[in-house]
Amino acid sequence: MTFQLIINIIIGIVWMFLSENYTFVSFLCGFVVGIFLLYLLNRFIPDSFYFRYVNAILFLIYLFIKELILANIEVLKWVYKPKLDMQPGIIAVPIDLKRNWEITLLANLITLTPGTLSVDISRDQRYIYIHAIDLPDVNDTIMSIKDSFEKAIREVTG
């Protein structure tokens, strides 16, 4: 992935020098041409096409913003509800992520989403303990975390 990115940046710089226009827009045009060339020549390069990871990162950002908005609406409903009949609790969510930074990213995304808080990670890094404001169905909550944030993080990391 980094090899292709370096090649693409070099193509952008060469484009900028060949066009004799030393602006960011000229570099960006060369960068886009580089993406197109790397896509066309992808079968001759041993790595997978790195722009796939950019799409996965953008999807993860979109997913977080969507979950953030939905969680804010849910918390707002709880705040204005006259009767608090919520079921708070702490659950252990099994995780399939292996690297420390992946687990940290998952814990931070969960903590930044209103209504949930990452409490701890097990010593063997197979479970993350989460406090939630309302847990009507524990299995549904676990599956929603695994199918959204964890799956998107796995897509980003390949």
Side-chain angles (χ1 to χ4, degrees), residues 27-144:
F27 171 76
L28 194 61
C29 288
F31 193 79
V32 170
V33 168
I35 289 172
F36 180 70
L37 287 175
L38 285 173
Y39 181 72
L40 286 178
L41 300 172
N42 191 33
R43 61 182 165 181
F44 302 114
I45 300 173
D47 291 336
S48 63
F49 186 53
Y50 83 94
F51 208 70
R52 178 179 73 87
Y53 297 108
V54 174
N55 289 337
I57 291 169
L58 291 176
F59 177 74
L60 180 62
I61 292 170
Y62 162 76
L63 178 67
F64 174 68
I65 291 172
K66 181 187 85 159
E67 290 293 327
L68 182 68
I69 291 170
L70 293 175
N72 273 307
I73 292 170
E74 280 297 313
V75 170
L76 189 65
K77 287 179 189 177
W78 282 108
V79 168
Y80 285 115
K81 209 175 209 182
K83 183 181 177 194
L84 293 177
D85 56 347
M86 63 177 95
Q87 301 168 0
I90 296 178
I91 57 172
V93 177
I95 53 176
D96 300 324
L97 303 173
K98 301 296 180 213
R99 293 178 236 162
N100 286 336
W101 71 270
E102 295 171 337
I103 296 169
T104 303
L105 179 61
L106 177 63
N108 286 333
L109 290 175
I110 290 169
T111 298
L112 289 172
T113 306
T116 56
L117 175 69
S118 300
V119 179
D120 197 12
I121 297 170
S122 65
R123 289 198 185 271
D124 60 357
Q125 295 185 340
R126 291 184 38 210
Y127 294 94
I128 185 168
Y129 298 98
I130 300 170
H131 177 272
I133 247 178
D134 187 35
L135 285 169
D137 185 11
V138 173
N139 290 329
D140 186 40
T141 304
I142 290 172
M143 290 314 296
S144 74

Side-chain angles (χ1 to χ4, degrees), residues 8 12-13 15-16 23-35:
N8 203 3
I13 292 171
W15 180 274
M16 194 171 60
T23 62
F24 179 72
V25 174
S26 177
F27 171 76
L28 194 61
C29 288
F31 193 79
V32 170
V33 168
I35 289 172

